[in-house]
Amino acid sequence: MLYRLWNHAAKGTDPVAEFIEGSEAAGYDGAERGHIDMARARSGGLAGGLCAIYITSGHLDFGKPDERGNYETPLSKPLERQPSLDIALQMAAIALRIERAGGWNICRNSRDIAAAIEAGKFAAVLHMEGCEAIDAELSALETFYAAGLRSLGPVWSRNNIFGHGVPFAYPMSPDTGPGLTEAGKRLVGECNRLGIMIDLAHITEKGFWDAAKLSDQPLVVSHSNVHAITPVARNLTDRQLDAVRESKGLVGLNFAVGMLRPDGREDANTPISDMIRHIDHLVDRLGIEGVAIGSDFDGATVPAEIGDAAGLQKLVDGLRDAGYGDGDLAKICRDNWLRVLASAWHE
């Protein structure tokens, strides 16, 4: 979401007004309208979430599927740190401006989340997806922490000084390259010390196991799905899911259609039943306490039946029809996230 608001600000749009009043009011429609603003979040019952500082790689040339639907997208080139830092600071400033305008509350602990929900404010947890803005000495991490950063993914689907990302490819194992670098291992340790949740959504399988060995937090994969159903490199093997369960962590369902469909195709006409199929497998492997909603709003093509944040209750209704009771739904939609955040934040 912050990337979209930042990108539109470069075109002359007020990002604060766009979130509060809506992308449509700001003159955007279609794909540029994005998936989330204050009104659509309220309409879908979305009380809060991870709001990502994400630095784009520019035009990513996705591999074209062959006759069998197989494709492989080369990893994006690494980004330079200084421009990445500038952009990350601009996005953090947008987040702070939205808070000052009353559009959301930036939440630094569980009490902040509870207070935001009680006040009817969007509970924004500042997240960083790919740490190109952070230096190897981790000095900038302290600054972003002071600004409210409470969650980060060491890598996006590209390599950086902290580790290696997985490509967008089907079919492919997540074991695509090396794991954490020495700087990445220091980053994990410092996140453990500060209380910043570590997200393993885009990292290689080796990086996943490196973090599992080093981190004292529950293993969290904020937006990935089941490799046994959809064998894209971004999805998780059953062995990885077992490790998440053992750590009392969670996996958030990714709404990206190419990560939901068994054929891996980028087709918005993907039924909600495909989403439920992944959730069923996650529950079987992780237990109900290990499954959550991840979405990837503003970062992927989502099923047309969902559309955007306003359509979230359609997934809830589908889960209820599939036999999930109110207690199960409370865990999947809210309580499991609150538990792992509190654990990562030393509460």
Side-chain angles (χ1 to χ4, degrees):
M1 183 202 321
L2 284 171
Y3 169 73
R4 188 193 83 224
L5 296 175
W6 171 85
N7 190 41
H8 288 179
K11 302 175 182 179
T13 303
D14 179 354
V16 177
E18 181 175 348
F19 178 75
I20 293 175
E21 299 172 15
S23 302
E24 201 167 30
Y28 295 100
D29 57 15
E32 284 206 310
R33 185 169 179 249
H35 292 133
I36 185 169
D37 50 41
M38 196 160 71
R40 285 182 284 173
R42 286 177 175 169
S43 178
L46 180 61
L50 304 183
C51 298
I53 293 171
Y54 159 72
I55 315 301
T56 183
S57 289
H59 177 66
L60 187 61
D61 189 15
F62 276 87
K64 294 181 180 179
D66 63 19
E67 65 278 359
R68 295 173 297 172
N70 299 350
Y71 67 90
E72 182 174 350
T73 304
L75 284 176
S76 301
K77 294 180 180 179
L79 300 180
E80 295 181 15
R81 178 172 178 259
Q82 190 58 55
S84 299
L85 176 60
D86 291 344
I87 293 169
L89 289 171
Q90 291 163 14
M91 290 186 188
I94 288 171
L96 293 166
R97 287 171 56 201
I98 292 173
E99 181 176 54
R100 286 199 301 272
W104 64 27
N105 288 1
I106 296 176
C107 298
R108 295 165 169 82
N109 52 54
S110 297
R111 296 184 304 279
D112 288 349
I113 294 175
I117 294 173
E118 178 68 23
K121 296 286 186 69
F122 188 88
V125 175
L126 199 58
H127 173 76
M128 185 173 285
E129 189 169 32
C131 290
E132 283 81 4
I134 306 296
D135 54 295
E137 293 74 27
L138 307 180
S139 299
L141 184 66
E142 293 276 3
T143 302
F144 282 106
Y145 179 83
L149 184 74
R150 290 298 182 274
S151 174
L152 62 77
V155 299
W156 186 68
S157 285
R158 59 186 170 232
N159 302 333
N160 63 24
I161 63 172
F162 300 110
H164 299 261
V166 292
F168 298 96
Y170 172 95
M172 183 176 283
S173 164
D175 187 12
T176 60
L180 292 173
T181 64
E182 290 304 312
K185 294 174 183 178
R186 292 195 299 272
L187 175 65
V188 168
E190 190 65 1
C191 287
N192 286 172
R193 184 186 73 82
L194 288 171
I196 298 174
M197 189 185 76
I198 300 164
D199 175 22
L200 302 173
H202 281 268
I203 204 162
T204 61
E205 186 174 1
K206 286 186 175 67
F208 175 96
W209 295 117
D210 286 341
K213 185 183 300 183
L214 293 166
S215 182
D216 61 14
Q217 299 178 10
L219 298 178
V220 173
V221 190
S222 68
H223 57 302
S224 290
N225 296 332
V226 178
H227 194 271
I229 297 173
T230 308
V232 298
R234 280 271 287 103
N235 283 344
L236 299 169
T237 67
D238 282 349
R239 183 167 171 252
Q240 288 175 292
L241 295 177
D242 291 345
V244 172
R245 178 172 186 155
E246 289 172 11
S247 76
K248 296 181 171 55
L250 68 71
V251 175
L253 181 78
N254 195 322
F255 291 10
V257 294
M259 295 175 63
L260 289 167
R261 298 173 60 91
D263 62 11
R265 293 187 181 274
E266 191 78 2
D267 184 353
N269 294 314
T270 295
I272 288 177
S273 59
D274 280 355
M275 306 174 80
I276 295 171
R277 184 181 181 189
H278 280 268
I279 286 179
D280 286 343
H281 187 103
L282 291 171
V283 170
D284 286 345
R285 210 77 194 190
L286 302 171
I288 195 69
E289 293 80 11
V291 184
I293 302 299
S295 85
D296 206 7
F297 282 143
D298 278 355
T301 300
V302 306
E305 288 183 74
I306 301 294
D308 56 28
L312 276 169
Q313 291 305 311
K314 296 177 182 178
L315 173 58
V316 175
D317 290 343
L319 288 167
R320 186 174 284 111
D321 291 344
Y324 290 89
D326 289 344
D328 295 336
L329 292 172
K331 289 178 180 178
I332 291 171
C333 295
R334 180 191 62 239
D335 294 347
N336 293 339
W337 268 121
L338 296 179
R339 175 183 60 79
V340 298
L341 287 169
S343 179
W345 294 345
H346 306 317
E347 297 178 345

